[in-house]
Amino acid sequence: MSRIIIAIFSIFISLVGYSQEFSPKSWDEIANNIASGHDDAVPILLQLKNDLETAPQWDGDAKETYLSTISLLIEYTSRRGWFKDEETFLKDAMRNFNEKDSVANSPYTRRLWVTMTRLQQDLGDPDALLMYGHQALRMYEDVQDYSFNYALL
């Protein structure tokens, strides 16, 4: 189901004015494109997301790039109020980390849980908010990580 949503999302973006001329040279250019409310970076991010999900290599660089990609896609959908699409990206990312990562409670997965907690607040779902929030707290406490994200919870 989520793959269908992403496919539809990709088609929508291509129809609303994807610029073939946009070829960023850095993450900053991609982030600035998203922050400026433009759509040009979205097809690049969707392709990168797909490439990383199917790549055999899953090291620290791949994890960080994947999380950055998901974060920018979430930023894009959130700015448009497409919270269900944001939730789909997050659930896909959580599932991908669970399938590919040998560490269930990594800094990457904890950040995803915090983001999902925040999203449930935006969606107005108190039950899901409590469930995700409590799980995220437990994950941080299990590894005694009382950093900024822990404080957000």
Side-chain angles (χ1 to χ4, degrees), residues 37 89 100:
F89 282 124
K100 291 183 127 186

Side-chain angles (χ1 to χ4, degrees), residues 15-29:
L15 294 175
V16 296
Y18 166 58
S19 170
Q20 296 291 338
E21 297 166 13
F22 182 71
S23 53
K25 294 175 181 48
S26 70
W27 274 109
D28 287 341
E29 285 183 51

Side-chain angles (χ1 to χ4, degrees), residues 28-44:
D28 287 341
E29 285 183 51
I30 292 173
N32 288 336
N33 184 268
I34 295 296
S36 300
H38 299 289
D39 302 319
D40 299 327
V42 174
I44 294 166

